[in-house]
């Protein structure tokens, strides 16, 4: 029991030193996610990248009555053009691809689990500065390409011979990838489906053009990779930087959909 306490204390001390050395603050960080967002904020500030511009937010000021006087409160809110399309974006977000093509008991054999190295950070690095003010609705299939920031609700039908359909359909039992149906998905998924021979009809589609070629998350991924390279692979600080890199993806997606897992507090 004493050793457990020692380990926790040493870890707290090392993470606090790490936090201070990176210029992120003097108090112990609460989570890896909080370190990641603080580091990302500092990186963007140094490069004059406005976090609100990246995330489609703005500051509103409102006067409220508090403690017998009026005060001006600053609140971060989504831009109107973003907010009104958020339900579609939420439905089109499914997380990382994780599929099984066999159900029930399997034979005793060697199985291959395919995994893309750095999948989240690589995908996010493709994101340029979004032009939220000029997003537009379209049903033109040609607009939905791999390099576009687009979401859509589509009806689709794959050829009967397609082994691995790529358009997700949400059910009460998780995602399925059927040969035909209705899907909320992203532009890269639509392009892949077309390449697989699918017939697709867009029911509601949104495209966000790029404002410029700045890639705010690529800058972050490069900085994380550079910091990781300074430490021995598998060491505490090397793995800490790895988790910092992965945490930004999770923080950006946080809160889009209510969790449906068991809540111990409830």
């Amino acid at each position: 029991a004493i050793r457990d306490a020692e380990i926790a204390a040493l870890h707290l001390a090392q993470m606090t030193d790490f936090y201070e050395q990176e210029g992120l603050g003097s108090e112990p960080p609460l989570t890896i996610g909080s370190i990641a967002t603080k580091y990302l904020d500092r990186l963007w500030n140094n490069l004059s990248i406005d976090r609100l511009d990246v995330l489609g937010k703005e500051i509103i000021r409102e006067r409220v009555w508090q403690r017998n006087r009026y005060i001006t409160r600053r609140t971060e809110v989504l831009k109107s053009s973003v907010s009104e399309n958020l339900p579609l974006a939420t439905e089109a977000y499914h997380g990382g691809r994780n599929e099984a093509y066999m159900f029930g008991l399997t034979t005793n054999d060697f199985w291959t689990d395919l995994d893309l190295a750095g999948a989240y950070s690589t995908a996010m690095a493709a994101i340029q500065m979004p032009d939220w003010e000029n997003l537009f609705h379209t049903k033109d299939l040609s607009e939905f390409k791999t390099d576009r920031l687009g979401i859509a609700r589509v009806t689709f039908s794959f050829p009967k011979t397609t082994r691995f359909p790529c358009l997700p359909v949400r059910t009460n039992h998780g995602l399925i990838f059927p040969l035909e149906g209705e899907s909320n998905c992203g532009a890269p998924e639509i392009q892949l489906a077309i390449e697989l021979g699918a017939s697709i009809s867009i029911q509601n589609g949104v495209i966000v053009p790029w404002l410029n070629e700045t890639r705010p998350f690529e800058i972050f991924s490069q900085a994380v990779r550079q910091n990781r390279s300074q430490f021995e692979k598998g060491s505490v600080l090397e793995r800490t930087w790895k988790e910092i890199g992965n945490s930004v993806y999770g923080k950006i997606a946080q809160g889009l959909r209510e969790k449906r897992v068991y809540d111990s507090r409830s």
Side-chain angles (χ1 to χ4, degrees), residues 56 58 78-85:
E58 60 185 353
L78 290 171
K79 292 178 179 288
S80 298
S81 58
V82 177
S83 178
E84 62 192 17
N85 289 290

Side-chain angles (χ1 to χ4, degrees), residues 7-24:
I7 293 171
L10 287 169
H11 180 64
L12 175 63
Q14 186 171 24
M15 293 307 298
T16 302
D17 288 345
F18 173 83
Y19 204 56
E20 290 180 350
Q21 290 168 8
E22 292 299 325
L24 302 177

Side-chain angles (χ1 to χ4, degrees), residues 115-132:
D115 187 26
L116 294 179
Y120 290 151
S121 56
T122 301
M124 291 179 64
I127 298 174
Q128 301 176 40
M129 285 293 291
D131 185 1
W132 299 111

Side-chain angles (χ1 to χ4, degrees), residues 43-44 47 49 125 214-224:
L43 191 64
W44 282 351
L47 297 171
I49 296 175
T214 299
R215 298 177 185 266
F217 297 105
E218 181 181 49
I219 294 167
F220 171 76
S221 296
Q222 289 173 341
V224 168

Side-chain angles (χ1 to χ4, degrees), residues 103-249:
F103 299 90
L105 294 175
T106 57
T107 57
N108 185 17
D109 201 348
F110 290 97
W111 297 90
T112 301
D113 181 17
L114 301 178
D115 187 26
L116 294 179
Y120 290 151
S121 56
T122 301
M124 291 179 64
I127 298 174
Q128 301 176 40
M129 285 293 291
D131 185 1
W132 299 111
E133 296 298 337
N134 290 306
L135 66 78
F136 59 92
H137 289 256
T138 180
K139 294 185 178 182
D140 184 356
L141 266 179
S142 65
E143 293 281 0
F144 293 85
K145 301 294 185 182
T146 302
D147 59 350
R148 304 298 298 276
L149 183 55
I151 51 175
R153 176 169 55 84
V154 306
T155 56
F156 64 91
S157 177
F158 286 90
K160 300 300 182 184
T161 55
T162 306
R163 292 186 65 199
F164 305 124
C166 65
L167 293 180
V169 175
R170 191 174 297 279
T171 73
N172 291 332
H173 305 287
L175 293 181
I176 61 173
F177 294 82
L179 287 172
E180 59 182 52
E182 183 174 282
S183 174
N184 296 286
C185 52
E189 293 167 308
I190 292 173
Q191 179 174 337
L192 178 58
I194 292 173
E195 292 175 0
L196 290 174
S199 174
I200 296 177
S201 175
I202 295 180
Q203 307 302 305
N204 182 18
V206 178
I207 294 289
V208 183
W210 300 127
L211 183 63
N212 56 52
E213 295 183 354
T214 299
R215 298 177 185 266
F217 297 105
E218 181 181 49
I219 294 167
F220 171 76
S221 296
Q222 289 173 341
V224 168
R225 186 168 63 246
Q226 183 178 357
N227 282 301
R228 284 184 66 184
S229 67
Q230 298 176 19
F231 301 99
E232 181 183 350
K233 186 173 178 60
S235 65
V236 171
L237 291 180
E238 190 271 340
R239 295 183 68 171
T240 298
W241 275 112
K242 179 181 179 181
E243 289 301 317
I244 288 173
N246 290 337
S247 292
V248 165
Y249 170 84

